[in-house]
Each structure stands twice: as C-alpha cells, then as structure tokens.
C-alpha cells in the first residue's frame, strides 16, 4: 500500500536520452522529449538527481559497426550532446573501463523514481485529487474505474499498468511475459571507480541492452541485469510464485516461441542466476 513498489521503484533509475530507438519511431520521440521533461520537472521541484552521463563501449573490432549504427540513430533522434569518442578519451571519462571506442551521452542521468512518484502524488493531492492505494482495477465502465470494492468515479483515465497492462487493456492475443532483473552491488571501494553509466554495445539478436554498470543515487553501483523468467508478475525474488500468473504464462503460445528463439540465452541466464558471479564476468 505504497506508491512505486514494483516497476517504478525497482528499475535501474536511469534517465535515458534516446540513443537506442529507430529514428522517427514513437519510442524515440517520447524518449528524447521525455528526457527533457524529466530534467525540467526534477529541477523545478528540487528533486535530487545526477546528470552523470553514459558511455556505450565497443570492446572488440566486431562491435564497431554496430556502434557506428547506434551513433547514427542517436544523431538522427536528436539526442543532446551525443558524440563518438576514442579509447584515450574513454579512459579519461572512465579510468576503469577498457574499450576500443565508445558513444558518450553526457545528457543521460540517474534519479530515484519513487521520489518522483511521491512528488507527483503530492501535487495531485494538493489539486484536490485522491490517491487510492490497495485497490485492484478489474475493468473500466461508464463513469470510472471498476474495482472489487466498487467504482472509483473519474472524468478521464490514463492507464499506466506496468506488468498488468495486458489485463487492463483486455487483449487476448498479446500477453506480458514477466522477466525479473537480477543485479549485483559493487563493494564501496570498487564503486568509487565508476563515474557514470557504462553499457556494452547491445546484441541485436536479444531484446536487452546487456549487463552494465549503473550508479545509484545512494552512491552504490549496480552490475547487471541478469534476466530470468519470473513466475510472478510482481515477484521480486527467486522463489516468487503466483498461481494465476504462472497459469496464464504457461498457457500462452508466445512464451514457447520466445523460448525456441532464445533458448541459449534463457539457459545461460538460469545458470547465471545460480552462480551470481557470472553477471560481473559478462560486464
């Protein structure tokens, strides 16, 4: 019964600048514009954040072509101040990082998004709105949001459903496949060596950005994620299980198509989950 307990409060806290998305796509436009809006909001409300930047690093010759393609995307998307840097400047920015070449996005930052959520909720309350917690939305009807405890009257509805988005949308042919991200935390001594976000060149065959180093607002540094199939949409630990979530997951044909396509990655992720030193090796 708190705000931001799941996706909002359990993400890496990165303010992305719009490097990765296809030029002209809605995702690219929303990310670039949203980045500006987030920084404006944080500064106007005095919410702590750090514009610590990000480097996307090519570690071997075979990654340079993909790095160049990614840089072209970033330029086409209008990512602010993005540039390509060579090995020498990379070492100046991140002395602990080894690579041949990198994209530097100084506009990328970090924030605690739970604080952002609490700020927005406070503004909503001051404008006369009610923040209702602990009520499951089961549908939408005339005049409001339907819950098991009754209808919450509304004029307009904006749905940010997260891991429950498919259920709220009422779609049958598409379904959320929940994946839990596992991170390690660097020791305080090693965390001091990381200045900003350090990412690899993503593998285009996989729907993930790869294991990376992520500074946090509390001064710690996360390493990961290791992506593992979850049997609970809101489960945050290895043993999390929800009967309804698991039943719907294993009855969805898309899960098996995904498994056939990425079975090697899925198997290696499970093995990494059992041996928590592996994500560090990946990064």
């Amino acid at each position: 019964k708190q705000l931001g307990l799941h996706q909002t409060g359990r993400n890496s806290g990165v303010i992305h600048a719009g490097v990765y998305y296809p030029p002209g796509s809605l995702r690219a436009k929303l990310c670039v514009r949203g980045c500006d809006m987030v920084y404006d909001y944080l500064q106007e409300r005095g919410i702590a954040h750090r514009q610590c930047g990000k480097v996307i690093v090519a570690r071997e010759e075979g990654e340079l072509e993909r790095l160049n393609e990614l840089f072209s995307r970033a330029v086409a998307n209008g990512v602010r101040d993005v540039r390509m840097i060579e090995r020498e400047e990379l070492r100046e920015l991140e002395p602990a990082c080894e690579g041949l070449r990198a994209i530097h996005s100084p506009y990328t930052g970090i924030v605690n998004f739970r604080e952002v959520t609490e700020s927005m909720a406070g503004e909503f309350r001051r404008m006369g709105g009610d923040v209702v917690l602990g009520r499951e939305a089961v549908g939408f009807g005339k005049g409001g949001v339907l819950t098991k405890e009754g209808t919450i009257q509304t004029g307009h509805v904006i749905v940010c459903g997260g891991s429950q988005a498919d259920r709220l949308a009422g779609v049958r042919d598409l379904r959320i496949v929940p994946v839990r991200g596992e991170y390690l935390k660097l020791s305080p001594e090693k965390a001091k060596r990381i200045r900003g976000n350090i990412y690899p060149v993503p593998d285009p065959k996989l729907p993930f950005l790869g294991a990376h180093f992520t500074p946090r607002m509390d001064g710690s540094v996360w390493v990961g994620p290791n992506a593992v199939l979850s049997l609970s949409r809101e489960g945050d630990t290895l043993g999390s299980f929800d009967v309804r979530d698991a039943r719907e997951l294993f009855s969805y044909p898309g899960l098996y198509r995904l498994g056939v396509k990425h079975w090697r990655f899925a198997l290696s992720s499970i093995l990494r989950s059992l041996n928590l030193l592996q994500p560090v090796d990946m990064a």
Side-chain angles (χ1 to χ4, degrees):
K1 294 186 177 182
Q2 300 178 42
L3 291 169
L5 279 183
H6 297 290
Q7 252 183 317
T8 299
R10 292 185 178 273
N11 58 64
S12 60
V14 176
I15 305 170
H16 286 284
V19 173
Y20 298 99
Y21 310 122
S25 67
L26 187 58
R27 293 182 72 185
K29 294 175 182 178
L30 291 176
C31 191
V32 172
R33 176 67 181 126
C35 185
D36 288 336
M37 294 174 70
V38 167
Y39 278 127
D40 288 345
Y41 184 89
L42 299 178
Q43 291 165 4
E44 290 170 3
R45 274 69 174 184
I47 299 174
H49 62 285
R50 286 176 54 204
Q51 192 177 315
C52 56
K54 171 171 69 175
V55 289
I56 304 172
V57 183
R59 296 171 293 175
E60 53 190 44
E61 292 286 343
E63 295 177 334
L64 291 176
E65 183 178 351
R66 280 186 278 141
L67 186 74
N68 291 333
E69 292 173 357
L70 204 58
F71 181 67
S72 296
R73 279 191 176 192
V75 172
N77 288 339
V79 175
R80 186 177 298 192
D81 300 328
V82 67
R83 60 200 181 95
M84 188 75 78
I85 60 175
E86 301 299 326
R87 183 198 300 263
E88 294 75 17
E89 190 171 359
L90 173 62
R91 291 300 300 273
E92 292 177 7
L93 289 170
E94 294 288 353
C97 181
E98 291 286 349
L100 302 178
R101 191 178 298 159
I103 294 170
H104 181 216
S105 171
Y107 201 50
T108 299
I110 58 173
V111 70
N112 183 339
F113 279 107
R114 284 198 68 181
E115 292 186 12
V116 178
T117 306
E118 292 288 353
S119 174
M120 290 180 172
E123 292 186 33
F124 185 65
R125 291 188 180 102
R126 289 191 292 274
M127 290 188 290
D130 296 319
V131 177
V132 182
L133 301 174
R135 300 273 290 273
E136 179 183 357
V138 296
F140 306 97
K142 291 184 177 180
V145 179
L146 307 180
T147 76
K148 294 179 179 179
E149 293 80 10
T151 300
I152 299 176
Q153 299 297 322
T154 62
H156 299 83
V157 176
I158 302 172
V159 179
C160 302
S163 62
Q164 309 292 339
D166 55 338
R167 291 171 177 166
L168 291 171
V171 296
R172 296 183 178 276
D173 54 341
L174 296 176
R175 196 167 299 172
I176 295 289
V177 175
V179 175
R180 185 184 70 256
E182 298 175 328
Y183 287 84
L184 295 178
K185 183 188 291 186
L186 290 185
S187 66
E189 290 184 0
K190 291 184 177 180
K192 294 177 182 178
R193 301 172 61 190
I194 307 300
R195 297 177 177 177
N197 296 278
I198 303 176
Y199 280 63
V201 178
D203 186 340
K205 298 177 183 178
L206 299 174
F208 306 105
L209 297 182
H212 46 268
F213 292 84
T214 305
R216 304 284 291 174
M217 289 301 298
D218 61 4
S220 64
V221 174
W222 286 6
V223 185
N226 182 46
V228 182
L229 186 71
S230 177
L231 300 181
S232 173
R233 295 194 182 201
E234 297 179 352
D236 303 314
T237 60
L238 182 62
S240 297
F241 180 81
D242 182 271
V243 174
R244 179 188 177 189
D245 292 346
R247 183 178 65 247
E248 290 186 1
L249 177 64
F250 289 115
S251 66
Y252 177 49
L255 171 66
Y256 302 99
R257 292 193 295 269
L258 186 68
V260 169
K261 185 176 181 180
H262 297 299
W263 69 270
R264 288 187 178 85
F265 179 81
L267 179 59
S268 64
S269 295
I270 294 172
L271 295 176
R272 282 194 296 270
S273 185
L274 299 175
N275 179 6
L276 291 180
L277 292 180
Q278 287 296 319
V280 176
D281 294 338
M282 284 178 60

